[in-house]
Amino acid sequence: MRLILLFGLLSISLCSSAAVYRWVDENGKVHYADEPQQNAELVEVKQNTQNTIALRETKLNSPKESELDTAVNTTITIVSPTHEETIRSNEGKFDVTVSVAPKLLRGMLLALFIDGEIKAQPQTSTTFSLEGIYRGEHAIVVKALDQNGKVLASSSPRTIYLHQATLVTRPTPRGG
């Protein structure tokens, strides 16, 4: 099997160095072929006419050391809602606003986590609009992520209480 493969590769390499023939037909059109034709002349292919590609070494766009230092020193603070704030919303709607210092680097995104689960798509905006959050106690954390999802910075957890009015009515006792 290896012998057949070796023979095939040798025959391909011999074919690739085949001669090129040029001729002009009766209409004056120039033709080229790898087989000799009537009135065809052999064209000598010079080494410097062949296409070659030189690949340059590419450098990855990695962050500069100063950018990495800034990412490590990035501070995320939840501005609103305040710690242990009670929010009243029957629809479970509220906004979370954060501040980022010094600022978000290019490629960094903010992600909002409630009770350890991501609740909003990572974004560059510092305001998250939420809805459909159920009542009760919740822990909110905002994290700065790179494009690969690696956490670069995180806020301190913020506890909030969401109250919703209930539609369940309690029966009133009847006097008897």
Side-chain angles (χ1 to χ4, degrees), residues 28-99:
K29 190 172 182 181
V30 178
H31 297 274
Y32 294 91
D34 58 353
E35 296 178 4
Q37 304 289 325
Q38 186 178 7
N39 297 329
E41 60 183 35
L42 182 64
V43 177
E44 187 177 320
V45 180
K46 297 181 181 174
Q47 188 70 12
N48 63 354
T49 61
Q50 295 180 358
N51 292 333
T52 57
I53 299 174
L55 298 177
R56 292 183 292 151
E57 185 177 325
T58 59
K59 295 181 181 178
L60 296 176
N61 290 337
S62 58
K64 298 174 187 170
E65 285 185 33
S66 60
E67 289 178 351
L68 289 176
D69 290 340
T70 305
V72 172
N73 295 328
T74 300
T75 304
I76 302 173
T77 307
I78 298 175
V79 177
S80 170
T82 60
H83 186 61
E84 296 187 346
E85 181 177 340
T86 298
I87 300 169
R88 288 174 168 70
S89 172
N90 289 336
E91 298 84 24
K93 290 183 177 182
F94 63 95
D95 291 339
V96 175
T97 306
V98 298
S99 70

Side-chain angles (χ1 to χ4, degrees), residues 11 30 73 114-116 128 132 165:
S11 64
V30 178
N73 295 328
I114 296 181
D115 300 327
F128 296 89

Side-chain angles (χ1 to χ4, degrees), residues 139-152:
I140 300 173
V141 175
V142 177
K143 298 179 181 181
L145 310 173
D146 68 5
Q147 294 173 343
N148 298 323
K150 180 181 174 188
V151 177
L152 301 174

Side-chain angles (χ1 to χ4, degrees), residues 1-31:
M1 182 68 179
R2 289 183 185 177
L3 186 59
I4 294 172
L5 181 63
L6 180 62
F7 180 71
L9 290 174
L10 285 173
S11 64
I12 290 172
S13 66
L14 290 175
C15 292
S16 67
S17 64
V20 177
Y21 297 93
R22 177 186 181 273
W23 76 96
V24 179
D25 66 9
E26 58 275 357
N27 297 327
K29 190 172 182 181
V30 178
H31 297 274

